[in-house]
Amino acid sequence: MMRVPAIDVGECVDCEACLDLCPTVFRRNDAGYIEVIELPEYSEEEVEEAIKNCPGDCIAWEEL
Ligand code: SF4
């Protein structure tokens, strides 16, 4: 089982906080939405920082 961050794009207010705080994990895709970069593992600390600072409260861990 792996923990990966996921974004609820419907709630995203496009503030770019996650891009600023955690550019290794989050990026803007060609469609203009924020998405999670596929990585073999994710830094708990960095993702938690993004979760804490996301004003839309739309980043959460998912178990895969
Ligand atoms: S921090 Fe949250 S609201 Fe802001 S761009 Fe990232 S996902 Fe969207």
Side-chain angles (χ1 to χ4, degrees):
M1 192 116 66
M2 194 185 157
R3 273 183 113 203
V4 301
I7 298 175
D8 180 351
V9 286
E11 299 296 322
C12 174
V13 297
D14 211 356
C15 71
E16 299 195 345
C18 55
L19 302 183
D20 290 342
L21 290 166
C22 204
T24 54
V25 174
F26 302 97
R27 70 177 168 207
R28 186 179 300 281
N29 65 22
D30 292 342
Y33 296 108
I34 307 296
E35 69 178 9
V36 175
I37 299 168
E38 210 170 300
L39 297 171
E41 59 183 0
Y42 296 91
S43 159
E44 175 101 18
E45 205 177 315
E46 282 183 31
V47 173
E48 286 296 333
E49 198 57 25
I51 289 173
K52 262 193 287 174
N53 287 282
C54 171
D57 208 14
C58 50
I59 307 170
W61 289 106
E62 262 181 11
E63 307 267 347
L64 291 187

